[in-house]
């Protein structure tokens, strides 16, 4: 199968699939070489009709490769945002960008929200009746807990009985110390 046929096949499969499809690690290198070949041919060809055909093919392949990259970037971003494990083979460059997106999303969550992503299934498994005493070691403006209730504002030294599901978030951000009470 030619690079053009492989490209068209992968592009069509990627467009029709919700999940990221597996591609060879050197796939985009082959596409790059093919695009370069078409560009050289369109520039050096002396026959006007053949030159036009190569130019048209280059534009079409360029569009398809760029659209494929965009489709895959959207899917990679979705995987990173939802912190899903990806077990399929991708290119080295795609793995680098996915790792960068995961890092950026994690930093965003930490800077803006101060909490990690909690999957809905995990949320349901948490014992919502479990409470613990905490002491605030940093002030905290009013915030919305993982249980979607408002908490705060809290000043340094405030002792609060709160659901463990929310105290974990404050603890990760070094806002509280846990108070252990032995019964």
């Amino acid at each position: 199968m030619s690079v053009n046929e492989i490209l068209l096949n992968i592009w069509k499969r990627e467009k029709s699939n919700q999940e990221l499809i597996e591609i060879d690690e050197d796939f985009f290198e082959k596409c790059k070489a093919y695009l370069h070949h078409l560009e050289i041919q369109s520039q050096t060809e002396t026959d006007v009709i053949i030159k036009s055909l190569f130019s048209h093919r280059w534009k079409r392949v360029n569009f398809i490769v760029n659209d494929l990259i965009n489709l895959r970037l959207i899917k990679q971003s979705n995987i990173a945002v939802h912190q899903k494990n990806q077990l399929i083979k991708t290119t080295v460059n795609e793995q680098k960008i996915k790792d960068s997106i995961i890092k950026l999303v994690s930093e965003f969550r930490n800077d803006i929200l101060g909490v990690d992503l909690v999957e809905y299934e995990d949320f349901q498994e948490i014992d919502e009746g479990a409470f613990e005493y905490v002491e605030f070691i940093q002030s905290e403006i009013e915030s919305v807990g993982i249980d979607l209730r408002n908490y705060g504002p809290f000043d340094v030294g405030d002792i609060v009985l709160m659901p463990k599901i929310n105290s974990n978030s404050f603890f990760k951000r070094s806002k509280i110390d846990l108070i252990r009470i032995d019964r």
Side-chain angles (χ1 to χ4, degrees):
M1 222 188 289
S2 70
V3 174
N4 191 51
E5 292 170 326
I6 294 170
L7 172 62
L8 286 173
N9 183 13
I10 289 174
W11 179 59
K12 287 175 185 176
R13 286 180 38 225
E14 198 70 64
K15 285 178 73 80
S16 66
N17 224 324
Q18 294 292 327
E19 301 296 320
L20 194 65
I21 64 166
E22 188 169 317
I23 61 172
D24 291 333
E25 290 180 12
D26 63 346
F27 173 74
F28 285 115
E29 288 300 317
K30 290 177 183 175
C31 290
K32 183 178 178 180
Y34 181 56
L35 275 166
H36 182 70
H37 165 74
L38 292 173
E39 185 177 30
I40 297 296
Q41 290 297 97
S42 70
Q43 291 172 353
T44 58
E45 182 58 49
T46 56
D47 186 300
V48 176
I49 294 173
I50 295 175
K51 181 177 187 134
S52 175
L53 289 173
F54 276 117
S55 179
H56 178 72
R57 172 66 61 96
W58 179 86
K59 288 176 186 174
R60 184 169 182 251
V61 170
N62 189 310
F63 169 81
I64 291 171
V65 169
N66 278 292
D67 192 52
L68 178 62
I69 289 170
N70 290 343
L71 289 168
R72 292 181 66 80
L73 277 173
I74 290 167
K75 291 178 183 182
Q76 290 281 18
S77 298
N78 193 25
I79 289 167
V81 166
H82 295 293
Q83 298 178 351
K84 295 179 182 174
N85 288 330
Q86 177 183 316
L87 302 175
I88 65 167
K89 187 169 50 171
T90 60
T91 66
V92 173
N93 290 341
E94 284 182 319
Q95 186 61 42
K96 284 181 187 177
I97 198 153
K98 186 191 88 178
D99 292 343
S100 296
I101 293 169
I102 288 172
K103 182 180 178 201
L104 287 171
V105 167
S106 179
E107 288 172 359
F108 175 79
R109 286 182 203 284
N110 192 34
D111 290 347
I112 303 300
L113 303 174
V115 296
D116 291 327
L117 175 68
V118 176
E119 291 294 328
Y120 185 71
E121 295 83 27
D122 296 339
F123 178 76
Q124 293 301 325
E125 293 174 10
I126 296 172
D127 179 9
E128 294 181 14
F131 290 83
E132 61 188 347
Y133 285 98
V134 300
E135 179 181 4
F136 276 81
I137 56 175
Q138 290 185 21
S139 295
E140 175 68 19
I141 60 171
E142 185 175 8
S143 60
V144 177
I146 295 173
D147 58 0
L148 302 180
R149 293 188 178 121
N150 290 334
Y151 291 88
F154 300 108
D155 292 322
V156 175
D158 284 355
I159 295 176
V160 179
L161 178 64
M162 90 172 27
K164 286 183 181 181
I165 187 173
N166 292 317
S167 65
N168 289 335
S169 170
F170 288 116
F171 187 75
K172 285 180 183 178
R173 294 183 291 151
S174 301
K175 296 279 186 174
I176 62 168
D177 278 334
L178 300 177
I179 299 175
R180 301 285 180 214
I181 299 175
D182 294 327
R183 293 183 184 188

